[in-house]
Amino acid sequence: MIIARSIDDLRAACTGPISLVPTMGGLHAGHASLIERAADGGCVVVSDFVNPTQFGTGEDFDLYPRDLDADAVIAAAAGASVLFVPTLETVYPTGFATTVELGALASQLCGATRPGHFAAVATIVTRLFAIVRPVRAIFGRKDYQQLIVVSSVTRDLALGVEIIGAPTVRDPDGLALSSRNRYLTADERSTALAIPRALDTIAAAYVAGERDSAALVLPALEQLSAIPLDYLELRNACDLGPYEPCQPAIALVAGHVGKTRLIDNIELAPDAERVSTKEFA
Ligand code: AMP
């Protein structure tokens, strides 16, 4: 695996069709699964850049895990051809003044408490696509709203990149892997387990035939009583529009455990077997 720091190094390192896995580093088995999904014989580029513009004031930009050596080991083992570690100047050259403007979804769910976050994500993803020129890009379903935003930007701006949403990787106890889990103390981690358990409760009721949104959400809210929530919502899984009982649905949650903000979701398909958060362990 080559570590490329400039666009020239990146271009020199890649021949053939490129698959891109954008990350902010702090790599774990969830990122590795995306890289493995990308590995199909072509060139697999993993970008590793903590994007300052997508963090709000008072968020964890300074604390965010940065360990290039550890990232390189994980990326190489998962099959990356190139680890692209651009400088701030490469991503945002002097004079950079463009932000992608998004539709209404960008100010809902995570966008309601993180104003500007998805516009910043859409902007860097668009720029990474232009720099890396991939044929496909792999994103995690763990960040489902991000996946939907990136899919719509790619479609609306005809960016010509196939977007693949890969399943959420979880620890055996059900907690979705996240670079931010390393902030959690042991006590906070056990508190955080209420999140996958509450999502499992919703999935179990849904599979048993419950379709009423209050009946689905209220028991889960009780399970989450120890976690200050930004939201727990049911939505249409296709575009995150309003929940419709006859469409594939999704339950999404964001909450604060200590100083750590965690998000998770579970997809609910009308005809599917129960999808437990533990199945992806
Ligand atoms: P991040 O480095 O947190 O920005 O994440 C980079 C990519 O990895 C995004 O597409 C995330 O959705 C994905 N990702 C993060 N955690 C997981 C996970 N537990 N399972 C699958 N994908 C993940």
Side-chain angles (χ1 to χ4, degrees):
M1 187 186 75
I2 290 166
I3 297 185
R5 294 181 184 273
S6 69
I7 298 177
D8 285 347
D9 289 351
L10 168 73
R11 298 254 163 88
C14 268
T15 48
I18 297 175
S19 297
L20 172 66
V21 180
T23 83
M24 296 207 299
L27 298 190
H28 50 64
H31 299 110
S33 77
L34 270 49
I35 300 166
E36 284 158 11
R37 177 79 175 71
D40 68 345
C43 183
V44 178
V45 174
V46 177
S47 61
D48 186 329
F49 178 70
V50 185
N51 178 30
T53 61
Q54 70 189 69
F55 289 79
T57 318
E59 290 187 356
D60 56 344
F61 175 69
D62 292 329
L63 262 181
Y64 203 83
R66 291 164 175 89
D67 185 344
L68 183 58
D69 292 343
D71 287 350
V73 169
I74 293 171
S81 324
V82 181
L83 189 63
F84 179 46
V85 191
T87 61
L88 187 65
E89 178 65 18
T90 297
V91 180
Y92 300 114
T94 308
F96 187 95
T98 299
T99 303
V100 175
E101 190 171 326
L102 300 168
L105 179 60
S107 49
Q108 299 169 23
L109 300 168
C110 284
T113 40
R114 306 188 74 192
H117 169 73
F118 288 113
V121 168
T123 303
I124 190 166
V125 167
T126 304
R127 181 151 170 84
L128 280 173
F129 285 1
I131 290 172
V132 178
R133 302 174 184 164
V135 294
R136 72 181 68 82
I138 297 90
F139 292 83
R141 301 179 91 82
K142 147 103 173 19
D143 299 276
Y144 197 88
Q145 188 177 9
Q146 171 174 279
L147 173 65
I148 296 296
V149 165
V150 167
S151 298
S152 5
V153 170
T154 304
R155 185 197 59 225
D156 293 351
L157 301 183
L159 298 179
V161 178
E162 180 193 5
I163 304 298
I164 294 170
T168 301
V169 176
R170 298 176 181 279
D171 271 330
D173 58 12
L175 190 66
L177 296 187
S178 164
S179 307
R180 292 189 165 99
N181 289 355
R182 62 193 80 183
Y183 303 153
L184 299 170
T185 64
D187 279 355
E188 287 172 346
R189 213 198 128 83
S190 61
T191 302
L193 289 180
I195 291 175
R197 286 185 188 138
L199 292 174
D200 271 347
T201 300
I202 293 175
Y206 191 89
V207 168
E210 184 61 75
R211 292 291 183 272
D212 178 72
S213 57
L216 286 165
V217 163
L218 288 177
L221 277 177
E222 251 171 61
Q223 282 175 285
L224 290 164
S225 58
I227 301 181
L229 296 182
D230 284 346
Y231 60 83
L232 171 65
E233 283 200 37
L234 290 178
R235 294 276 178 128
N236 169 349
C238 302
D239 58 6
L240 292 179
Y243 168 67
E244 291 165 41
C246 54
Q247 296 286 332
I250 183 167
L252 307 109
V253 61
H256 298 261
V257 179
K259 290 193 171 125
T260 307
R261 184 176 186 276
L262 297 174
I263 62 171
D264 201 351
N265 65 74
I266 193 160
E267 291 170 63
L268 309 162
D271 302 321
E273 291 297 301
R274 178 176 177 199
V275 183
S276 164
T277 54
K278 295 208 178 71
E279 271 177 27
F280 299 121

